[in-house]
């Protein structure tokens, strides 16, 4: 009896496995960030365009903010740019750029050409702060709460759906905590 | 033939030169670096290890590991540095713990199921053969 059922059971098990594989196929290359729920890494970086002004992680505390990792060499950054612009203009959350592994001149030209939605951009030209944030594929966005805890990370382009479903709910629940 | 050989050789050298030269204090240190970076996954091109990858981030990470090594950090400290930032994903041989338990155990379990199946199949076939032989001799 079990001998006859065995092929059916194996077939079903394989089916479940493959269906699961298909479901996660789009997100397979995304690496879950170990930073979620932890304090954001410490840094002190110059502001893009005002190299004498240094900003540290401590300077950003007090209000939730979104760190958007971007670069002029990154095509997907250009693709998500209108979404980031809309988010910044809506005033829902403070948006800060992290200009990652870029040339200052290229970065500033990029902002002149496509618009600068950021409060300011931190210039991480060497990419060292990017490593501390676990950045591996721009664009990436980190939602950080008022105390500096990373509450959400988006790998790849920001979309209106993600703002609606992931960012806004976290901002609302965050405001209750404070 | 000789020209072709020269061309190929030149191309190979340029590939090697494209990688930044990292200078080590000792040959043991260099060997340790090579072993460690082959066991770490490049997060950009995920089917390559850190030693082989030409991605800019992989170059940065190699430099960082090199720096840590010269500063006298051991393999555990370096691995922890990367896992804290990129998660267990960077390890080709992740530590055995809660969420990686399945990863480590499933191959063994499958092997066990295979062994048990083979055992029972062979035994029942043996019995059948013995029975047939007895019938034949009767």
């Amino acid at each position: 009896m079990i001998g006859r059922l065995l092929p059916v059971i194996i077939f079903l098990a394989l089916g479940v496995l493959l269906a699961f594989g298909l479901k996660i196929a789009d997100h397979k290359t995304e690496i879950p960030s170990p930073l979620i729920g932890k304090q954001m890494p410490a840094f002190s970086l110059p502001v893009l365009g005002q190299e004498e002004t240094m900003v540290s992680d401590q300077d950003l505390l007090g209000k939730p903010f979104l760190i958007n990792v971007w670069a002029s060499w990154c095509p997907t950054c250009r693709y998500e740019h209108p979404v980031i612009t809309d988010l910044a203009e809506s005033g829902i959350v403070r948006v800060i750029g992290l200009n990652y592994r870029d040339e200052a001149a290229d970065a500033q030209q990029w902002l002149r050409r496509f618009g600068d939605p950021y409060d300011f951009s931190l210039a991480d030209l060497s990419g060292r702060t990017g490593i501390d944030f676990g950045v591996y594929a721009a664009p990436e966005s980190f939602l950080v709460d008022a105390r500096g805890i990373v509450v959400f990370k988006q790998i790849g382009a920001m979309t209106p759906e993600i703002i609606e479903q992931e960012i806004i709910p976290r901002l609302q629940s965050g405001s209750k905590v404070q | 033939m000789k020209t072709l050989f020269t061309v190929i050789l030149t191309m190979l050298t340029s590939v090697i030169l494209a990688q930044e030269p990292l200078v080590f204090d000792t040959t043991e240190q260099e060997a340790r670096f090579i072993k460690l970076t082959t066991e770490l996954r490049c997060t950009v091109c995920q089917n390559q290890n850190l030693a082989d990858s030409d991605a800019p981030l992989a170059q940065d990470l190699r430099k960082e590991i090199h720096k840590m090594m010269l500063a006298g950090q051991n393999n555990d400290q370096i691995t922890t540095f990367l896992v804290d930032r990129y998660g267990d994903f960077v390890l080709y041989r992740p530590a055995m713990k809660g969420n990686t338990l399945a990863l480590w155990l499933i191959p063994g379990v499958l092997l066990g199921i295979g062994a048990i199946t083979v055992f029972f199949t062979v035994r029942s076939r043996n019995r059948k053969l013995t029975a047939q032989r007895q019938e034949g001799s009767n």
Side-chain angles (χ1 to χ4, degrees):
Chain A
M1 188 56 204
I2 191 89
R4 279 213 195 143
L5 274 180
L6 200 61
V8 181
I9 293 169
I10 291 176
F11 174 78
L12 287 177
L14 207 60
V16 169
L17 193 71
L18 292 178
F20 180 70
L22 271 182
K23 215 178 142 205
I24 64 164
D26 288 345
H27 305 286
K28 235 188 212 159
T29 55
E30 289 178 14
I31 305 175
S33 174
L35 242 56
I36 306 292
K38 296 208 183 108
Q39 194 73 29
M40 75 171 147
F43 61 82
S44 179
L45 288 171
V47 171
L48 180 70
Q50 305 160 46
E51 271 65 27
E52 65 289 345
T53 315
M54 299 294 283
V55 171
S56 79
D57 52 314
Q58 295 299 318
D59 298 334
L60 300 177
L61 303 184
K63 234 170 61 177
F65 56 92
L66 186 89
I67 293 191
N68 177 240
V69 181
W70 68 278
S72 64
W73 47 261
C74 154
T76 315
C77 297
R78 218 179 120 180
Y79 171 80
E80 74 161 5
H81 200 59
V83 181
I84 295 290
T85 307
D86 283 351
L87 177 66
E89 279 173 2
S90 74
I92 297 169
V93 65
R94 185 182 190 199
V95 181
I96 293 161
L98 181 71
N99 185 225
Y100 171 66
R101 273 188 136 271
D102 211 344
E103 300 288 337
D106 294 345
Q108 280 168 296
Q109 199 196 342
W110 194 88
L111 289 178
R112 272 197 298 275
R113 200 157 146 206
F114 303 111
D116 183 356
Y118 305 107
D119 246 23
F120 54 83
S121 279
L122 301 160
D124 181 24
L125 305 186
S126 71
R128 186 58 188 76
T129 301
I131 291 179
D132 283 342
F133 271 87
V135 171
Y136 68 97
E140 290 184 12
S141 300
F142 297 82
L143 184 64
V144 183
D145 75 5
R147 296 161 300 161
I149 310 283
V150 180
V151 290
F152 173 72
K153 176 184 181 183
Q154 165 65 14
I155 298 160
M158 183 60 74
T159 65
E161 290 75 31
I162 288 159
I163 292 172
E164 198 71 38
Q165 290 160 16
E166 307 283 358
I167 307 275
I168 293 177
R170 281 182 175 83
L171 286 169
Q172 284 162 348
S173 65
S175 61
K176 274 176 212 151
V177 174
Q178 286 160 41
Chain B
M1 194 58 211
K2 208 172 170 185
T3 335
L4 185 70
F5 187 70
T6 318
V7 167
I8 291 172
L9 212 65
T10 320
M11 282 161 74
L12 285 177
T13 355
S14 65
V15 171
I16 293 163
L17 287 178
Q19 302 228 356
E20 73 292 354
L22 294 172
V23 184
F24 292 90
D25 294 340
T26 59
T27 45
E28 287 82 36
Q29 209 173 39
E30 187 164 3
R32 191 160 74 97
F33 178 84
I34 292 169
K35 188 162 184 301
L36 186 62
T37 49
T38 42
E39 279 174 14
L40 293 168
R41 190 201 296 258
C42 169
T43 48
V44 185
C45 23
Q46 297 180 358
N47 293 323
Q48 263 187 321
N49 59 37
L50 262 189
D52 288 341
S53 175
D54 247 341
L57 179 61
Q59 291 175 22
D60 286 358
L61 289 177
R62 279 201 299 269
K63 266 184 227 159
E64 208 57 45
I65 293 170
H66 175 248
K67 217 191 293 169
M68 292 173 82
M69 249 179 201
L70 292 193
Q73 304 223 27
N74 64 30
N75 286 9
D76 278 350
Q77 285 170 311
I78 296 170
T79 316
T80 310
F81 171 88
L82 287 166
V83 170
D84 282 350
R85 286 157 181 76
Y86 294 97
D88 282 330
F89 198 87
V90 296
L91 306 175
Y92 273 124
R93 289 193 291 155
M96 201 150 150
K97 57 181 193 191
N99 57 350
T100 58
L101 210 59
L103 195 68
W104 282 100
L105 293 186
I106 285 173
V109 170
L110 288 180
L111 192 68
I113 292 173
I116 292 166
T117 314
V118 168
F119 175 76
F120 280 107
T121 316
V122 169
R123 200 175 67 169
S124 75
R125 196 179 292 168
N126 232 349
R127 276 189 190 154
K128 226 181 265 172
L129 276 178
T130 318
Q132 273 173 4
R133 227 173 271 144
Q134 273 170 357
E135 270 172 32
S137 68
N138 281 346

